[in-house]
Amino acid sequence: MAATKKQNPQPQLLFVDGSFEELAGEMADYLKAEDAKQLLAKDDQAPKDEVLAKLVAAAQGLNSIPEKEFTAASNLLIHLVLQASDPKKYLQAICGIFAKPLANSPVHGPGLSLNALTTVFNLLDHEDPVRARVFMEILKSVKAHGMYESLRPYMDKVPSWIESWDDVGEDYQRKLYEEVAEVALDAGEQEQGYEYILKALRSFDADEKGDITSEDAQRLSLRAVKMALLSSNHFLFQDLRAIPSVQALGDTHPVYAQLLDIFAEQDLEDYNDFNEEHEGWVEQQKLDHEKLHRKMRLLTFASLAAATPSREIEYARIAKALQVPQEEVERWAIDVIRAGLLEGKLSQQRSMFLVHKVTYRVFGGKQYQELASRVDHWRTTLNNVLGVLRQEQANAKAQKEREIQDLERKMTNAGVSGSGGQGGGRRQQRERTDNDD
């Protein structure tokens, strides 16, 4: 095989020394592509596209070559294809070949295939729609071989990549979002997978009712709802309910829409009523009742805290709202804090939960009223405190005035008493003088 060298300028990142005819002949020999060899032997100026068509047809043989030769061979084939009048005609085909596992390399083969696909991806212009097709092959390879870590460093770039490939159409972009979600979910990245499902849902045209109620839209909407409900970390549902295709579930899957509304802004009692109304439905849909019931208790705790103006909740009220024994309240308080729905502390002595901060599940008219009620409560409390302070200030001022008056009275009394003693002494002295005479 010819040696490969790297070249910095875009779009071609590598090149191989030699003319097209020489290198194509070498590739034909390596792949045992007799049709290509005959064409080159007959005419050393044979049309490149005819030669490449035969080389690409024979390139299936790359899947059975020794692993140490695969990188050089794949780079040479890529180099030749890039010299076609329209490389896009062949790039997708060779990517399909690269994506197949190497028969002779069960350990390193997946990595070698991914490297070849990545080389093609990097050689294409950023907005080239073929890049989208190559990226789909990369995603399939990553998913098939559990190589999510090789994709992780680029996850922040993926949305901008997909948006730039608008020439492939919304349907294909949506497939890419869903495939990224699948790769993330297979790797255990539940939150990232959920975010890409939402991106796929947002790609449906909100102005086209037929689009948001289509089979794909409703399938993805149901999947997103199930993921959100069963997630151990997802407690807020407003972002999901704002998506038009999810809103359309009210017409196509009303029971799911009802359950989503309960988790978005209602309480445990509403969830229990739902289960009574639709007995057995949760189990039929393969939803985990225990997990849903636990999440509903946590959400109910958060709603109770948000609706309590005093920010002090008695254990008895919590126990009643959560439908648990009062001795279990402290455990649920710890769980709701860990879930990030509340910040606060327990007062065992007073049997109170003291709320410091609460997350509102929704913020609409009801929540504005609760906030207004809380502000009124704070205003009343502050006015009471201010009244007490003013009264204490008045009391202190009056006390000070009384002390001053008492001091002045004592000083006055002391002055009068002192004057009377001196006059008596002078009278006694005059009387003794008179007697002496």
Side-chain angles (χ1 to χ4, degrees):
M1 297 299 296
T4 61
K5 301 179 182 179
K6 290 186 178 180
Q7 178 179 337
N8 291 327
Q10 290 281 5
Q12 189 167 314
L13 300 179
L14 57 86
F15 70 88
V16 185
D17 291 332
S19 67
F20 174 85
E21 289 74 19
E22 292 171 342
L23 298 174
E26 188 174 347
M27 192 83 234
D29 286 336
Y30 188 76
L31 295 174
K32 298 180 173 58
E34 296 301 326
D35 289 348
K37 289 168 64 176
Q38 291 175 8
L39 187 59
L40 288 167
K42 185 185 305 182
D43 182 0
D44 59 2
Q45 296 296 322
K48 291 182 180 180
D49 284 3
E50 292 184 26
V51 174
L52 286 171
K54 299 184 182 303
L55 289 177
V56 171
Q60 298 288 348
L62 290 176
N63 296 122
S64 57
I65 66 175
E67 67 175 39
K68 63 181 180 180
E69 299 177 4
F70 180 80
T71 298
S74 60
N75 282 347
L76 177 56
L77 183 59
I78 294 169
H79 171 77
L80 291 170
V81 166
L82 289 175
Q83 297 185 56
S85 59
D86 184 9
K88 298 174 187 177
K89 290 196 314 184
Y90 308 107
L91 284 176
Q92 194 168 343
I94 65 173
C95 283
I97 295 168
F98 294 158
K100 295 177 182 178
L102 298 182
N104 299 325
S105 183
V107 177
H108 303 294
L112 293 171
S113 295
L114 184 59
N115 287 341
L117 290 170
T118 303
T119 298
V120 176
F121 183 80
N122 290 334
L123 288 172
L124 295 169
D125 292 335
H126 288 288
E127 297 181 3
D128 193 326
V130 177
R131 214 171 189 235
R133 310 285 177 177
V134 177
F135 187 61
M136 178 65 84
E137 294 297 337
I138 290 174
L139 291 173
K140 290 178 179 177
S141 181
V142 167
K143 181 184 176 184
H145 302 290
M147 296 188 294
Y148 176 76
E149 290 304 317
S150 63
L151 183 64
R152 186 190 294 275
Y154 308 100
M155 288 300 288
D156 60 334
K157 299 179 181 178
V158 169
S160 61
W161 287 347
I162 296 177
E163 289 172 10
S164 70
W165 301 326
D166 52 2
D167 287 347
V168 301
E170 288 183 351
D171 288 346
Y172 200 81
Q173 287 178 312
R174 191 176 305 123
K175 288 179 183 177
L176 286 171
Y177 281 128
E178 193 172 0
E179 194 66 28
V180 174
E182 294 289 353
V183 171
L185 292 171
D186 278 1
E189 300 289 339
Q190 297 295 321
E191 287 302 308
Q192 195 164 63
Y194 174 74
E195 287 303 317
Y196 273 89
I197 292 293
L198 294 191
K199 290 181 185 296
L201 283 173
R202 293 187 181 108
S203 68
F204 290 101
D205 190 347
D207 295 327
E208 293 290 337
K209 187 172 179 60
D211 201 23
I212 61 176
T213 57
S214 66
E215 183 178 348
D216 268 355
Q218 294 304 287
R219 174 183 61 82
L220 281 173
S221 295
L222 286 176
R223 184 176 186 186
V225 169
K226 290 178 182 179
M227 289 176 68
L229 292 176
L230 294 174
S231 169
S232 299
N233 303 315
H234 199 89
F235 293 95
L236 302 178
F237 301 89
Q238 288 301 94
D239 59 339
L240 182 59
R241 290 207 302 173
I243 297 174
S245 62
V246 175
Q247 294 173 356
L249 289 174
D251 296 325
T252 60
H253 297 80
V255 182
Y256 266 105
Q258 182 184 356
L259 183 61
L260 180 59
D261 288 342
I262 290 171
F263 274 81
E265 55 184 322
Q266 297 178 34
D267 295 332
L268 180 61
E269 187 175 348
D270 300 295
Y271 176 70
N272 291 337
D273 290 344
F274 171 89
N275 276 324
E276 290 180 8
E277 181 184 354
H278 305 285
E279 185 176 358
W281 182 86
V282 169
E283 291 74 17
Q284 291 171 4
Q285 298 300 313
K286 294 183 170 56
L287 297 172
D288 189 332
H289 170 69
E290 292 301 321
K291 184 176 285 189
L292 296 181
H293 198 260
R294 178 182 181 277
K295 178 179 278 192
M296 201 68 244
R297 278 183 167 147
L298 296 175
L299 292 170
T300 299
F301 200 144
S303 291
L304 179 62
T308 304
S310 67
R311 293 299 182 105
E312 293 184 349
I313 317 174
E314 301 88 349
Y315 281 13
R317 284 185 63 204
I318 298 171
K320 182 179 179 181
L322 272 58
Q323 300 176 11
V324 298
Q326 189 163 323
E327 55 267 23
E328 293 184 11
V329 165
E330 293 183 0
R331 177 175 69 83
W332 284 101
I334 293 170
D335 287 347
V336 79
I337 291 172
R338 284 176 176 167
L341 291 169
L342 282 180
E343 291 181 14
K345 66 179 181 179
L346 295 161
S347 175
Q348 294 177 326
Q349 185 176 6
R350 299 170 57 202
S351 293
M352 291 275 196
F353 181 79
L354 310 179
V355 181
H356 295 166
K357 182 180 178 181
V358 61
T359 299
Y360 279 91
R361 295 162 61 190
V362 293
F363 208 91
K366 179 182 177 182
Q367 287 69 39
Y368 275 111
Q369 290 177 357
E370 290 174 355
L371 182 59
S373 175
R374 180 169 287 119
V375 170
D376 287 341
H377 177 79
W378 289 342
R379 183 186 295 115
T380 301
T381 301
L382 290 174
N383 285 335
N384 291 338
V385 171
L386 184 59
V388 171
L389 290 175
R390 285 174 175 169
Q391 184 61 48
E392 289 298 320
Q393 187 179 33
N395 292 342
K397 184 177 180 181
Q399 178 65 25
K400 186 175 181 180
E401 289 177 352
R402 285 195 297 271
E403 290 174 355
I404 292 173
Q405 290 172 359
D406 288 344
L407 181 60
E408 290 177 346
R409 188 165 50 251
K410 289 177 181 179
M411 291 178 65
T412 301
N413 291 338
V416 170
S417 174
S419 300
Q422 291 174 0
R426 285 195 293 272
R427 283 195 296 271
Q428 291 175 2
Q429 185 176 9
R430 284 197 298 272
E431 288 174 358
R432 285 196 300 269
T433 303
D434 292 341
N435 293 334
D436 290 342
D437 292 341

